[in-house]
Amino acid sequence: MPRSHRPSLPAHLQIIHTGGTLGCGGSPLAPLPAECFVPILSAQISTLWQGSFAIDTLTPLLDSTQAQPADWVRLAQHILHRYADGQRHFLVIHGTDTLAYTATWLAECLAGSDVQVVVTGSQYPLLDPISLQPSPTSDAQDNLSTAIAALCQAQHGVFVSFCGETWPAQTVQKIHSRDVAAFSGHLRAGDPANSYRALTLREQAVWQQHAQTQLHQASEQLNQIRVCTYYASPKPYAQLAAELHALAQLQPDAVLLIGYGAGNFPEHPEIRHVLQQLTSDGVLVVASTSVPFGGTTQGYATGHWLSEIGVLPTARLTIAAIYVRLLWICALQSTPANRRKRWLSQLDQATTPHSH
């Protein structure tokens, strides 16, 4: 199927309300009961979408601040259930705190399919918190409109829509805690975005079975998988090494190093020793950056030494995408060699342009 192929316009839109600010009310803000909020949401959707649609509510509603991998599994299972019913176009409403993580998870576990999933939310409630009438100052209506437009225009895959823009899921991160332009991303997405395509009926059945098997396997392993993160900050080398050593005592499956610039990390014999011991023990150690965009490179001496001891790069993946992919790979691959091989094989495609 040519990469330029676009899915047909949705005959039916499946909306999944998981929770978040968009569906909150009262003071302090709290999730509105489904029986109160869903009819109002339905009326708003009707002004934006003239076709048929249905709204499911994830039960219990998810406070995205409290999100755990088990919640991602729950949402993915719900989508797979609706996929078996013939649904292909999904609008997911989600809280903004961990929206990028959830979207990236869906991108990983729905890879290779013909679904369209657009995840959105809002910085302000759809309804005035006191009157519970649609708020004219909220960004919710505009974000819903952008998401629905994306479902009519975007390629197969998982996307995030916010403040008038839409990006492939694993390129997105939250960049502002209060502004309505809360997220940003880019369009040069490789794997898994480039795996989505139109499927024949037989391919749909094969993919569905494979996806269910993978999700079941992942759900059984996630509670045992430990992905640790370390955020570098200027401090005495001995202190940094001691903190990394304490992290190693947790016996992680993977470690995400968040360094400086293009993925640079302080070099010192004690630091090198701890990291080299981790990679020698089969831990999947990857190096990222606290800089929001641009990704990593090991062209500088301050980053190149990491590759010499087996630390892997992360290309243009965001922190959320890296963390989720480490979880996904470690849950599905049981040996260090397979985990490392899988990470590198997917990363090789990370700079592949993805038309949008």
Side-chain angles (χ1 to χ4, degrees), residues 254-274:
V255 172
L256 167 55
L257 301 175
I258 305 175
Y260 309 124
N264 303 325
F265 201 82
E267 182 181 11
H268 184 269
E270 292 181 57
I271 298 170
R272 176 185 283 263
H273 174 75
V274 178

mmCIF file with all atom_site columns, all heavy atoms in Angstrom, residues 254-274:
data_model
loop_
_atom_site.group_PDB
_atom_site.id
_atom_site.type_symbol
_atom_site.label_atom_id
_atom_site.label_alt_id
_atom_site.label_comp_id
_atom_site.label_asym_id
_atom_site.label_entity_id
_atom_site.label_seq_id
_atom_site.pdbx_PDB_ins_code
_atom_site.Cartn_x
_atom_site.Cartn_y
_atom_site.Cartn_z
_atom_site.occupancy
_atom_site.B_iso_or_equiv
_atom_site.pdbx_formal_charge
_atom_site.auth_seq_id
_atom_site.auth_comp_id
_atom_site.auth_asym_id
_atom_site.auth_atom_id
_atom_site.pdbx_PDB_model_num
ATOM 1   N N   . ALA A 1 254 ? 15.816 -1.406 32.910 1.00 0.00 ? 254 ALA A N   1
ATOM 2   C CA  . ALA A 1 254 ? 16.262 -0.348 32.005 1.00 0.00 ? 254 ALA A CA  1
ATOM 3   C C   . ALA A 1 254 ? 16.494 0.927  32.801 1.00 0.00 ? 254 ALA A C   1
ATOM 4   O O   . ALA A 1 254 ? 15.865 1.146  33.844 1.00 0.00 ? 254 ALA A O   1
ATOM 5   C CB  . ALA A 1 254 ? 15.237 -0.111 30.900 1.00 0.00 ? 254 ALA A CB  1
ATOM 6   N N   . VAL A 1 255 ? 17.392 1.753  32.288 1.00 0.00 ? 255 VAL A N   1
ATOM 7   C CA  . VAL A 1 255 ? 17.686 3.042  32.911 1.00 0.00 ? 255 VAL A CA  1
ATOM 8   C C   . VAL A 1 255 ? 17.665 4.117  31.832 1.00 0.00 ? 255 VAL A C   1
ATOM 9   O O   . VAL A 1 255 ? 18.300 3.962  30.781 1.00 0.00 ? 255 VAL A O   1
ATOM 10  C CB  . VAL A 1 255 ? 19.062 3.042  33.617 1.00 0.00 ? 255 VAL A CB  1
ATOM 11  C CG1 . VAL A 1 255 ? 19.428 4.455  34.085 1.00 0.00 ? 255 VAL A CG1 1
ATOM 12  C CG2 . VAL A 1 255 ? 19.061 2.079  34.795 1.00 0.00 ? 255 VAL A CG2 1
ATOM 13  N N   . LEU A 1 256 ? 16.938 5.170  32.104 1.00 0.00 ? 256 LEU A N   1
ATOM 14  C CA  . LEU A 1 256 ? 16.878 6.331  31.222 1.00 0.00 ? 256 LEU A CA  1
ATOM 15  C C   . LEU A 1 256 ? 17.704 7.452  31.850 1.00 0.00 ? 256 LEU A C   1
ATOM 16  O O   . LEU A 1 256 ? 17.346 7.978  32.905 1.00 0.00 ? 256 LEU A O   1
ATOM 17  C CB  . LEU A 1 256 ? 15.428 6.769  31.021 1.00 0.00 ? 256 LEU A CB  1
ATOM 18  C CG  . LEU A 1 256 ? 15.173 8.137  30.396 1.00 0.00 ? 256 LEU A CG  1
ATOM 19  C CD1 . LEU A 1 256 ? 15.878 8.281  29.054 1.00 0.00 ? 256 LEU A CD1 1
ATOM 20  C CD2 . LEU A 1 256 ? 13.678 8.378  30.248 1.00 0.00 ? 256 LEU A CD2 1
ATOM 21  N N   . LEU A 1 257 ? 18.820 7.791  31.204 1.00 0.00 ? 257 LEU A N   1
ATOM 22  C CA  . LEU A 1 257 ? 19.651 8.899  31.647 1.00 0.00 ? 257 LEU A CA  1
ATOM 23  C C   . LEU A 1 257 ? 19.196 10.166 30.942 1.00 0.00 ? 257 LEU A C   1
ATOM 24  O O   . LEU A 1 257 ? 19.194 10.229 29.713 1.00 0.00 ? 257 LEU A O   1
ATOM 25  C CB  . LEU A 1 257 ? 21.121 8.640  31.313 1.00 0.00 ? 257 LEU A CB  1
ATOM 26  C CG  . LEU A 1 257 ? 21.773 7.394  31.899 1.00 0.00 ? 257 LEU A CG  1
ATOM 27  C CD1 . LEU A 1 257 ? 23.190 7.237  31.355 1.00 0.00 ? 257 LEU A CD1 1
ATOM 28  C CD2 . LEU A 1 257 ? 21.787 7.453  33.425 1.00 0.00 ? 257 LEU A CD2 1
ATOM 29  N N   . ILE A 1 258 ? 18.819 11.171 31.708 1.00 0.00 ? 258 ILE A N   1
ATOM 30  C CA  . ILE A 1 258 ? 18.403 12.449 31.130 1.00 0.00 ? 258 ILE A CA  1
ATOM 31  C C   . ILE A 1 258 ? 19.547 13.430 31.337 1.00 0.00 ? 258 ILE A C   1
ATOM 32  O O   . ILE A 1 258 ? 19.770 13.925 32.447 1.00 0.00 ? 258 ILE A O   1
ATOM 33  C CB  . ILE A 1 258 ? 17.102 12.955 31.774 1.00 0.00 ? 258 ILE A CB  1
ATOM 34  C CG1 . ILE A 1 258 ? 16.006 11.890 31.653 1.00 0.00 ? 258 ILE A CG1 1
ATOM 35  C CG2 . ILE A 1 258 ? 16.664 14.266 31.130 1.00 0.00 ? 258 ILE A CG2 1
ATOM 36  C CD1 . ILE A 1 258 ? 14.719 12.250 32.359 1.00 0.00 ? 258 ILE A CD1 1
ATOM 37  N N   . GLY A 1 259 ? 20.288 13.680 30.274 1.00 0.00 ? 259 GLY A N   1
ATOM 38  C CA  . GLY A 1 259 ? 21.484 14.496 30.376 1.00 0.00 ? 259 GLY A CA  1
ATOM 39  C C   . GLY A 1 259 ? 21.286 15.899 29.850 1.00 0.00 ? 259 GLY A C   1
ATOM 40  O O   . GLY A 1 259 ? 20.181 16.457 29.894 1.00 0.00 ? 259 GLY A O   1
ATOM 41  N N   . TYR A 1 260 ? 22.363 16.475 29.332 1.00 0.00 ? 260 TYR A N   1
ATOM 42  C CA  . TYR A 1 260 ? 22.348 17.852 28.844 1.00 0.00 ? 260 TYR A CA  1
ATOM 43  C C   . TYR A 1 260 ? 22.410 17.880 27.319 1.00 0.00 ? 260 TYR A C   1
ATOM 44  O O   . TYR A 1 260 ? 22.691 16.881 26.665 1.00 0.00 ? 260 TYR A O   1
ATOM 45  C CB  . TYR A 1 260 ? 23.565 18.611 29.382 1.00 0.00 ? 260 TYR A CB  1
ATOM 46  C CG  . TYR A 1 260 ? 23.786 18.532 30.863 1.00 0.00 ? 260 TYR A CG  1
ATOM 47  C CD1 . TYR A 1 260 ? 25.002 18.066 31.362 1.00 0.00 ? 260 TYR A CD1 1
ATOM 48  C CD2 . TYR A 1 260 ? 22.813 18.927 31.758 1.00 0.00 ? 260 TYR A CD2 1
ATOM 49  C CE1 . TYR A 1 260 ? 25.242 18.006 32.731 1.00 0.00 ? 260 TYR A CE1 1
ATOM 50  C CE2 . TYR A 1 260 ? 23.030 18.864 33.127 1.00 0.00 ? 260 TYR A CE2 1
ATOM 51  C CZ  . TYR A 1 260 ? 24.252 18.400 33.612 1.00 0.00 ? 260 TYR A CZ  1
ATOM 52  O OH  . TYR A 1 260 ? 24.478 18.339 34.962 1.00 0.00 ? 260 TYR A OH  1
ATOM 53  N N   . GLY A 1 261 ? 22.177 19.084 26.761 1.00 0.00 ? 261 GLY A N   1
ATOM 54  C CA  . GLY A 1 261 ? 22.447 19.336 25.356 1.00 0.00 ? 261 GLY A CA  1
ATOM 55  C C   . GLY A 1 261 ? 21.940 18.257 24.433 1.00 0.00 ? 261 GLY A C   1
ATOM 56  O O   . GLY A 1 261 ? 20.751 17.947 24.389 1.00 0.00 ? 261 GLY A O   1
ATOM 57  N N   . ALA A 1 262 ? 22.862 17.666 23.670 1.00 0.00 ? 262 ALA A N   1
ATOM 58  C CA  . ALA A 1 262 ? 22.519 16.635 22.693 1.00 0.00 ? 262 ALA A CA  1
ATOM 59  C C   . ALA A 1 262 ? 22.639 15.234 23.286 1.00 0.00 ? 262 ALA A C   1
ATOM 60  O O   . ALA A 1 262 ? 22.881 14.266 22.570 1.00 0.00 ? 262 ALA A O   1
ATOM 61  C CB  . ALA A 1 262 ? 23.421 16.768 21.472 1.00 0.00 ? 262 ALA A CB  1
ATOM 62  N N   . GLY A 1 263 ? 22.480 15.138 24.607 1.00 0.00 ? 263 GLY A N   1
ATOM 63  C CA  . GLY A 1 263 ? 22.578 13.846 25.288 1.00 0.00 ? 263 GLY A CA  1
ATOM 64  C C   . GLY A 1 263 ? 23.883 13.687 26.035 1.00 0.00 ? 263 GLY A C   1
ATOM 65  O O   . GLY A 1 263 ? 24.268 12.572 26.403 1.00 0.00 ? 263 GLY A O   1
ATOM 66  N N   . ASN A 1 264 ? 24.575 14.793 26.294 1.00 0.00 ? 264 ASN A N   1
ATOM 67  C CA  . ASN A 1 264 ? 25.843 14.736 27.011 1.00 0.00 ? 264 ASN A CA  1
ATOM 68  C C   . ASN A 1 264 ? 25.617 14.391 28.479 1.00 0.00 ? 264 ASN A C   1
ATOM 69  O O   . ASN A 1 264 ? 24.588 14.755 29.067 1.00 0.00 ? 264 ASN A O   1
ATOM 70  C CB  . ASN A 1 264 ? 26.573 16.078 26.905 1.00 0.00 ? 264 ASN A CB  1
ATOM 71  C CG  . ASN A 1 264 ? 26.798 16.479 25.463 1.00 0.00 ? 264 ASN A CG  1
ATOM 72  O OD1 . ASN A 1 264 ? 27.022 15.633 24.606 1.00 0.00 ? 264 ASN A OD1 1
ATOM 73  N ND2 . ASN A 1 264 ? 26.719 17.778 25.193 1.00 0.00 ? 264 ASN A ND2 1
ATOM 74  N N   . PHE A 1 265 ? 26.600 13.708 29.065 1.00 0.00 ? 265 PHE A N   1
ATOM 75  C CA  . PHE A 1 265 ? 26.491 13.280 30.464 1.00 0.00 ? 265 PHE A CA  1
ATOM 76  C C   . PHE A 1 265 ? 27.872 13.427 31.100 1.00 0.00 ? 265 PHE A C   1
ATOM 77  O O   . PHE A 1 265 ? 28.888 13.126 30.461 1.00 0.00 ? 265 PHE A O   1
ATOM 78  C CB  . PHE A 1 265 ? 26.023 11.826 30.532 1.00 0.00 ? 265 PHE A CB  1
ATOM 79  C CG  . PHE A 1 265 ? 25.408 11.447 31.842 1.00 0.00 ? 265 PHE A CG  1
ATOM 80  C CD1 . PHE A 1 265 ? 24.066 11.755 32.109 1.00 0.00 ? 265 PHE A CD1 1
ATOM 81  C CD2 . PHE A 1 265 ? 26.137 10.782 32.809 1.00 0.00 ? 265 PHE A CD2 1
ATOM 82  C CE1 . PHE A 1 265 ? 23.487 11.408 33.317 1.00 0.00 ? 265 PHE A CE1 1
ATOM 83  C CE2 . PHE A 1 265 ? 25.567 10.432 34.022 1.00 0.00 ? 265 PHE A CE2 1
ATOM 84  C CZ  . PHE A 1 265 ? 24.228 10.744 34.278 1.00 0.00 ? 265 PHE A CZ  1
ATOM 85  N N   . PRO A 1 266 ? 27.933 13.893 32.370 1.00 0.00 ? 266 PRO A N   1
ATOM 86  C CA  . PRO A 1 266 ? 29.241 14.098 33.014 1.00 0.00 ? 266 PRO A CA  1
ATOM 87  C C   . PRO A 1 266 ? 30.076 12.821 33.007 1.00 0.00 ? 266 PRO A C   1
ATOM 88  O O   . PRO A 1 266 ? 29.583 11.740 33.334 1.00 0.00 ? 266 PRO A O   1
ATOM 89  C CB  . PRO A 1 266 ? 28.865 14.500 34.443 1.00 0.00 ? 266 PRO A CB  1
ATOM 90  C CG  . PRO A 1 266 ? 27.489 15.055 34.331 1.00 0.00 ? 266 PRO A CG  1
ATOM 91  C CD  . PRO A 1 266 ? 26.817 14.262 33.256 1.00 0.00 ? 266 PRO A CD  1
ATOM 92  N N   . GLU A 1 267 ? 31.361 12.960 32.645 1.00 0.00 ? 267 GLU A N   1
ATOM 93  C CA  . GLU A 1 267 ? 32.253 11.803 32.599 1.00 0.00 ? 267 GLU A CA  1
ATOM 94  C C   . GLU A 1 267 ? 33.247 11.864 33.754 1.00 0.00 ? 267 GLU A C   1
ATOM 95  O O   . GLU A 1 267 ? 33.855 12.904 34.025 1.00 0.00 ? 267 GLU A O   1
ATOM 96  C CB  . GLU A 1 267 ? 33.020 11.751 31.282 1.00 0.00 ? 267 GLU A CB  1
ATOM 97  C CG  . GLU A 1 267 ? 33.917 10.528 31.167 1.00 0.00 ? 267 GLU A CG  1
ATOM 98  C CD  . GLU A 1 267 ? 34.700 10.483 29.871 1.00 0.00 ? 267 GLU A CD  1
ATOM 99  O OE1 . GLU A 1 267 ? 34.711 11.496 29.157 1.00 0.00 ? 267 GLU A OE1 1
ATOM 100 O OE2 . GLU A 1 267 ? 35.307 9.422  29.592 1.00 0.00 ? 267 GLU A OE2 1
ATOM 101 N N   . HIS A 1 268 ? 33.381 10.721 34.430 1.00 0.00 ? 268 HIS A N   1
ATOM 102 C CA  . HIS A 1 268 ? 34.311 10.576 35.545 1.00 0.00 ? 268 HIS A CA  1
ATOM 103 C C   . HIS A 1 268 ? 34.513 9.080  35.753 1.00 0.00 ? 268 HIS A C   1
ATOM 104 O O   . HIS A 1 268 ? 33.582 8.296  35.519 1.00 0.00 ? 268 HIS A O   1
ATOM 105 C CB  . HIS A 1 268 ? 33.747 11.246 36.807 1.00 0.00 ? 268 HIS A CB  1
ATOM 106 C CG  . HIS A 1 268 ? 34.679 11.222 37.972 1.00 0.00 ? 268 HIS A CG  1
ATOM 107 N ND1 . HIS A 1 268 ? 34.670 10.192 38.898 1.00 0.00 ? 268 HIS A ND1 1
ATOM 108 C CD2 . HIS A 1 268 ? 35.655 12.091 38.361 1.00 0.00 ? 268 HIS A CD2 1
ATOM 109 C CE1 . HIS A 1 268 ? 35.600 10.440 39.816 1.00 0.00 ? 268 HIS A CE1 1
ATOM 110 N NE2 . HIS A 1 268 ? 36.200 11.583 39.507 1.00 0.00 ? 268 HIS A NE2 1
ATOM 111 N N   . PRO A 1 269 ? 35.694 8.642  36.185 1.00 0.00 ? 269 PRO A N   1
ATOM 112 C CA  . PRO A 1 269 ? 35.919 7.197  36.345 1.00 0.00 ? 269 PRO A CA  1
ATOM 113 C C   . PRO A 1 269 ? 34.867 6.488  37.194 1.00 0.00 ? 269 PRO A C   1
ATOM 114 O O   . PRO A 1 269 ? 34.444 5.371  36.859 1.00 0.00 ? 269 PRO A O   1
ATOM 115 C CB  . PRO A 1 269 ? 37.297 7.136  37.000 1.00 0.00 ? 269 PRO A CB  1
ATOM 116 C CG  . PRO A 1 269 ? 38.009 8.352  36.474 1.00 0.00 ? 269 PRO A CG  1
ATOM 117 C CD  . PRO A 1 269 ? 36.940 9.406  36.393 1.00 0.00 ? 269 PRO A CD  1
ATOM 118 N N   . GLU A 1 270 ? 34.425 7.115  38.280 1.00 0.00 ? 270 GLU A N   1
ATOM 119 C CA  . GLU A 1 270 ? 33.423 6.463  39.132 1.00 0.00 ? 270 GLU A CA  1
ATOM 120 C C   . GLU A 1 270 ? 32.074 6.356  38.419 1.00 0.00 ? 270 GLU A C   1
ATOM 121 O O   . GLU A 1 270 ? 31.370 5.339  38.538 1.00 0.00 ? 270 GLU A O   1
ATOM 122 C CB  . GLU A 1 270 ? 33.255 7.245  40.437 1.00 0.00 ? 270 GLU A CB  1
ATOM 123 C CG  . GLU A 1 270 ? 34.463 7.204  41.360 1.00 0.00 ? 270 GLU A CG  1
ATOM 124 C CD  . GLU A 1 270 ? 34.217 7.975  42.641 1.00 0.00 ? 270 GLU A CD  1
ATOM 125 O OE1 . GLU A 1 270 ? 33.246 7.649  43.358 1.00 0.00 ? 270 GLU A OE1 1
ATOM 126 O OE2 . GLU A 1 270 ? 34.980 8.921  42.904 1.00 0.00 ? 270 GLU A OE2 1
ATOM 127 N N   . ILE A 1 271 ? 31.714 7.414  37.677 1.00 0.00 ? 271 ILE A N   1
ATOM 128 C CA  . ILE A 1 271 ? 30.455 7.392  36.932 1.00 0.00 ? 271 ILE A CA  1
ATOM 129 C C   . ILE A 1 271 ? 30.524 6.351  35.826 1.00 0.00 ? 271 ILE A C   1
ATOM 130 O O   . ILE A 1 271 ? 29.596 5.551  35.631 1.00 0.00 ? 271 ILE A O   1
ATOM 131 C CB  . ILE A 1 271 ? 30.156 8.790  36.349 1.00 0.00 ? 271 ILE A CB  1
ATOM 132 C CG1 . ILE A 1 271 ? 29.997 9.813  37.476 1.00 0.00 ? 271 ILE A CG1 1
ATOM 133 C CG2 . ILE A 1 271 ? 28.914 8.749  35.467 1.00 0.00 ? 271 ILE A CG2 1
ATOM 134 C CD1 . ILE A 1 271 ? 29.931 11.254 37.003 1.00 0.00 ? 271 ILE A CD1 1
ATOM 135 N N   . ARG A 1 272 ? 31.640 6.336  35.119 1.00 0.00 ? 272 ARG A N   1
ATOM 136 C CA  . ARG A 1 272 ? 31.829 5.354  34.052 1.00 0.00 ? 272 ARG A CA  1
ATOM 137 C C   . ARG A 1 272 ? 31.729 3.934  34.601 1.00 0.00 ? 272 ARG A C   1
ATOM 138 O O   . ARG A 1 272 ? 31.098 3.066  33.986 1.00 0.00 ? 272 ARG A O   1
ATOM 139 C CB  . ARG A 1 272 ? 33.194 5.569  33.386 1.00 0.00 ? 272 ARG A CB  1
ATOM 140 C CG  . ARG A 1 272 ? 33.519 4.514  32.323 1.00 0.00 ? 272 ARG A CG  1
ATOM 141 C CD  . ARG A 1 272 ? 34.928 4.715  31.798 1.00 0.00 ? 272 ARG A CD  1
ATOM 142 N NE  . ARG A 1 272 ? 35.023 5.824  30.867 1.00 0.00 ? 272 ARG A NE  1
ATOM 143 C CZ  . ARG A 1 272 ? 34.982 5.679  29.550 1.00 0.00 ? 272 ARG A CZ  1
ATOM 144 N NH1 . ARG A 1 272 ? 34.822 4.483  29.008 1.00 0.00 ? 272 ARG A NH1 1
ATOM 145 N NH2 . ARG A 1 272 ? 35.095 6.734  28.765 1.00 0.00 ? 272 ARG A NH2 1
ATOM 146 N N   . HIS A 1 273 ? 32.326 3.704  35.752 1.00 0.00 ? 273 HIS A N   1
ATOM 147 C CA  . HIS A 1 273 ? 32.325 2.358  36.334 1.00 0.00 ? 273 HIS A CA  1
ATOM 148 C C   . HIS A 1 273 ? 30.900 1.879  36.619 1.00 0.00 ? 273 HIS A C   1
ATOM 149 O O   . HIS A 1 273 ? 30.545 0.736  36.302 1.00 0.00 ? 273 HIS A O   1
ATOM 150 C CB  . HIS A 1 273 ? 33.153 2.345  37.623 1.00 0.00 ? 273 HIS A CB  1
ATOM 151 C CG  . HIS A 1 273 ? 33.091 1.039  38.355 1.00 0.00 ? 273 HIS A CG  1
ATOM 152 N ND1 . HIS A 1 273 ? 33.769 -0.095 37.928 1.00 0.00 ? 273 HIS A ND1 1
ATOM 153 C CD2 . HIS A 1 273 ? 32.404 0.678  39.479 1.00 0.00 ? 273 HIS A CD2 1
ATOM 154 C CE1 . HIS A 1 273 ? 33.513 -1.095 38.752 1.00 0.00 ? 273 HIS A CE1 1
ATOM 155 N NE2 . HIS A 1 273 ? 32.698 -0.659 39.694 1.00 0.00 ? 273 HIS A NE2 1
ATOM 156 N N   . VAL A 1 274 ? 30.100 2.745  37.232 1.00 0.00 ? 274 VAL A N   1
ATOM 157 C CA  . VAL A 1 274 ? 28.728 2.336  37.579 1.00 0.00 ? 274 VAL A CA  1
ATOM 158 C C   . VAL A 1 274 ? 27.915 2.047  36.318 1.00 0.00 ? 274 VAL A C   1
ATOM 159 O O   . VAL A 1 274 ? 27.222 1.030  36.220 1.00 0.00 ? 274 VAL A O   1
ATOM 160 C CB  . VAL A 1 274 ? 28.023 3.428  38.413 1.00 0.00 ? 274 VAL A CB  1
ATOM 161 C CG1 . VAL A 1 274 ? 26.581 3.003  38.712 1.00 0.00 ? 274 VAL A CG1 1
ATOM 162 C CG2 . VAL A 1 274 ? 28.764 3.677  39.708 1.00 0.00 ? 274 VAL A CG2 1
#
